[in-house]
């Protein structure tokens, strides 16, 4: 099965779609280099939009948006889930301490059989670039 996905970040369309095949895939996949980058202040909305073949909707349980500050080793990615009927999402830009970029990619998840959850390959990767110097003196409370 193929799932076509594209993302729109802040109103800029990414038409470079990646066809993904279902498979048992590790949660922390290595993402591809971003196809585009937008500049954002921390907290600014980052808006995504995606599409896929309607025939594939029956096998999609939900979508996952993975956000990570490390493109090649997403050790602690933030994972947000969206209903299978969603076609857009808007989230606030969040940057790790000392990081200039946050990378995003979307996957479709087939969880109809809890014993064998299938995940599509990730969509094209997009990046939000922090505007201004990253803070380095934050304290966790």
């Amino acid at each position: 099965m193929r799932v076509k996905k594209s993302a729109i970040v802040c109103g800029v369309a990414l038409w470079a779609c990646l066809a993904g095949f279902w498979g048992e895939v590790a949660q922390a996949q290595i993402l591809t280099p971003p196809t585009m980058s937008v500049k954002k202040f921390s907290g600014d909305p980052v808006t995504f939009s995606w599409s896929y073949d309607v025939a594939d909707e029956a096998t999609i349980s939900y979508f996952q948006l993975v956000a990570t500050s490390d493109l090649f080793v997403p050790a602690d990615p933030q994972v947000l889930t969206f209903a299978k009927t969603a076609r857009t999402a808007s989230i606030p830009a969040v940057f790790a301490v000392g990081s200039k970029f946050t990378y995003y990619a979307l996957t479709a998840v087939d969880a109809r059989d809890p014993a064998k959850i299938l995940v599509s390959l990730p969509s094209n990767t997009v990046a939000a670039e922090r505007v201004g110097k990253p803070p380095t003196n934050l304290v966790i409370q």
Side-chain angles (χ1 to χ4, degrees), residues 9 14 34-39 101-104 125-129:
V9 179
L14 297 182
T35 55
M36 77 167 295
S37 177
V38 294
K39 294 179 187 263
F101 291 94
T102 298
Y103 302 98
Y104 302 92
T125 302
V126 293
E129 181 180 0

Side-chain angles (χ1 to χ4, degrees), residues 50-139:
W50 59 92
S51 63
Y52 54 89
D53 292 333
V54 176
D56 295 331
E57 188 170 288
T59 61
I60 297 172
S61 299
Y62 58 90
F63 292 99
Q64 288 183 331
L65 181 67
V66 175
T68 182
S69 61
D70 190 329
L71 184 62
F72 300 105
V73 185
D76 192 18
Q78 177 186 13
V79 180
L80 303 168
T81 60
F82 301 98
K84 74 184 228 170
T85 56
R87 301 294 181 273
T88 63
S90 185
I91 62 171
V94 177
F95 300 94
V97 174
S99 177
K100 185 171 179 151
F101 291 94
T102 298
Y103 302 98
Y104 302 92
L106 185 78
T107 58
V109 179
D110 178 353
R112 293 174 297 164
D113 179 0
K116 189 174 184 180
I117 296 177
L118 303 174
V119 179
S120 71
L121 292 173
S123 68
N124 53 305
T125 302
V126 293
E129 181 180 0
R130 180 194 302 269
V131 176
K133 184 178 178 183
T136 57
N137 59 347
L138 294 179
V139 177

Side-chain angles (χ1 to χ4, degrees), residues 25-36:
V25 181
Q27 183 77 332
Q29 298 181 37
I30 295 175
L31 303 178
T32 59
T35 55
M36 77 167 295

